[in-house]
Amino acid sequence: MAELKCSICGNSFEPAESTALPFCSDRCRLIDLGRWLGEHYHVTVEREVPEDELESEFRD
Ligand SMILES: [Zn+2]
């Protein structure tokens, strides 16, 4: 069976050996979840900044 590469730790692993696909382990799955929640929180905070200020950052 083809190996998968865990996007969290970068290790190659056999899909049949993992109980936390597409990650190699529950630990990596939890890390991914934590990152997702962190990003979600970050986005929520950014939305409180007026749109005009956000756009001005991208103008040169
Ligand atoms: Zn992993």
Side-chain angles (χ1 to χ4, degrees), residues 10 13 40 57:
F13 64 97
H40 185 69
E57 288 186 6

Side-chain angles (χ1 to χ4, degrees), residues 1-22:
M1 191 179 286
E3 288 190 332
L4 288 180
K5 188 174 181 182
C6 177
S7 61
I8 298 301
C9 66
N11 285 339
S12 296
F13 64 97
E14 293 282 346
E17 294 178 358
S18 173
T19 58
L21 294 174

